[in-house]
């Protein structure tokens, strides 16, 4: 999960539903309360996110924090 100035929250999941191979599903919540669904993939030290309605975003991995579920699963982006 990442918090940003351009968005309120970006949540990455490990689901692949509807995303091309190697990509996963993500959810973006904007400051105005609207939400979008997209696909993400890890590219070295960045996460590349693609949204049909918002285009593409590139976010550094170090801006993400594990959620409680991530902590429980002991999973991370590293």
């Amino acid at each position: 999960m990442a918090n940003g100035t351009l968005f309120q929250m970006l949540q990455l999941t490990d689901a692949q539903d509807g995303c091309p191979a190697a990509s996963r599903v993500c959810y973006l919540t904007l400051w105005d309360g609207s939400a979008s669904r997209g696909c993400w993939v890890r590219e070295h030290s960045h996460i590349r996110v693609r949204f049909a309605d918002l285009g593409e975003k590139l976010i550094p991995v170090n801006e993400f924090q594990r959620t409680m579920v991530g902590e429980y699963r002991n999973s991370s982006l590293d």
Side-chain angles (χ1 to χ4, degrees):
M1 175 178 71
N3 295 305
T5 55
L6 301 176
F7 54 88
Q8 183 179 15
M9 183 173 50
L10 175 62
Q11 182 179 8
L12 307 178
T13 75
D14 56 1
Q16 290 183 292
D17 185 39
C19 289
S23 292
R24 308 274 193 237
V25 177
C26 64
Y27 299 97
L28 176 74
T29 305
L30 298 172
W31 287 108
D32 65 2
S34 61
S36 294
R37 178 180 161 160
C39 298
W40 71 275
V41 65
R42 170 89 185 253
E43 291 183 354
H44 307 289
S45 62
H46 289 85
I47 299 295
R48 182 172 304 279
V49 185
R50 292 182 184 95
F51 296 99
D53 52 344
L54 300 171
E56 191 171 276
K57 310 278 184 217
L58 193 63
I59 303 165
V61 168
N62 63 2
E63 291 190 21
F64 287 86
Q65 302 172 27
R66 289 198 293 184
T67 61
M68 288 177 60
V69 173
E71 291 284 341
Y72 176 76
R73 292 181 179 174
N74 197 26
S75 61
S76 69
L77 293 172
D78 297 329

